């Protein structure tokens, strides 16, 4: 029995550290700490006046196609736009929007670009603009990561890491992605 003690102590210490770490995020001092925990786990990147945050992919229900959501902020005065996207996981990545038909069904449509207004932001999200990565050679699972390269009209090129995370309630673009390609 004695031999198990160190393990038990280690486990207790680990639990204590976890509690401390959680408590730490509630300290108001650092502005970074105020960002939600999801935000910190998700991909961020920047170039020039462009800032990308909250990049993630809901674990694909269809193993061959995944959607990417993120936020782009444009600190410049001039309007900008995402004009191209590439992914390391597949040669097939594209820019899409979601439209609701008169009958209430969601339809995907490829777009030439995703506008990002000067001094503003554009949210890529379920039911709106998003990136699709298709023809995945292997199913993506929670814990995997895809690297996207976004090209902007301003000729900035931004590489962002996109973690695959569990689909959360309310993200549900699943049905809408059926028959995507
Ligand atoms: Cu889509």
């Amino acid at each position: 029995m004695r031999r198990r003690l160190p393990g038990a102590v280690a486990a207790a210490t680990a639990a204590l550290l976890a509690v401390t770490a959680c408590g730490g995020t509630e300290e108001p001092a650092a502005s970074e700490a105020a960002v939600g925990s999801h935000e910190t786990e998700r991909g961020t990147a920047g170039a020039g006046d462009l800032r990308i945050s909250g990049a993630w992919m809901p674990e694909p229900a269809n193993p061959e196609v995944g959607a990417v959501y993120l936020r782009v902020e444009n600190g410049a005065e001039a309007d900008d736009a995402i004009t191209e996207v590439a992914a390391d996981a597949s040669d097939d990545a594209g820019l899409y929007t979601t439209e609701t038909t008169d009958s209430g069904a969601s339809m995907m449509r490829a777009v030439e670009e995703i506008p990002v207004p000067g001094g503003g932001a554009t949210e890529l999200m379920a039911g709106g603009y998003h990136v699709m990565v298709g023809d995945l050679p292997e199913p993506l699972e929670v814990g995997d990561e895809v690297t996207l390269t976004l090209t902007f009209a301003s000729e900035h090129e931004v590489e962002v890491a996109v973690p695959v995370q569990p689909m959360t309630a309310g993200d549900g673009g699943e049905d809408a992605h059926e028959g995507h390609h």
Side-chain angles (χ1 to χ4, degrees):
M1 290 300 279
R2 260 189 178 276
R3 298 186 61 182
R4 299 192 58 174
L5 193 56
V9 170
T13 306
L16 187 66
L17 285 174
V19 169
T20 306
C22 285
T25 62
E26 284 173 24
E27 283 173 24
S31 59
E32 287 290 332
V35 175
S37 61
H38 271 311
E39 203 80 5
T40 55
E41 295 161 13
R42 293 178 179 176
T44 60
D49 293 313
L50 295 165
R51 191 181 137 71
I52 292 171
S53 61
W56 72 296
M57 173 188 283
E59 185 178 36
N62 172 346
E64 287 174 9
V65 188
V68 176
Y69 305 130
L70 53 82
R71 176 182 170 84
V72 186
E73 282 167 70
N74 178 8
E77 278 183 32
D79 291 345
D80 208 337
I82 305 171
T83 54
E84 256 179 75
V85 61
D88 64 345
S90 160
D91 290 335
D92 179 21
L95 305 173
Y96 285 84
T97 190
T98 311
E99 291 171 347
T100 306
T101 64
D102 293 340
S103 59
S106 285
M107 297 276 293
M108 300 281 174
R109 183 168 64 81
V111 292
E112 291 285 308
E113 59 172 44
I114 295 177
V116 188
T122 297
E123 198 94 33
L124 276 60
M125 54 193 278
Y129 286 117
H130 59 283
V131 168
M132 296 300 309
V133 182
D135 285 338
L136 295 169
E138 288 176 39
L140 290 170
E141 294 170 358
V142 170
D144 290 344
E145 195 173 270
V146 176
T147 301
L148 283 193
T149 304
L150 299 170
T151 304
F152 288 81
S154 58
E155 295 189 347
H156 281 109
E157 221 177 70
V158 187
E159 202 175 272
V160 62
V162 180
V164 179
Q165 298 183 344
M167 171 91 64
T168 54
D171 290 323
E174 277 183 75
D175 294 340
H177 286 113
E178 273 171 28
H180 207 278
H181 286 266

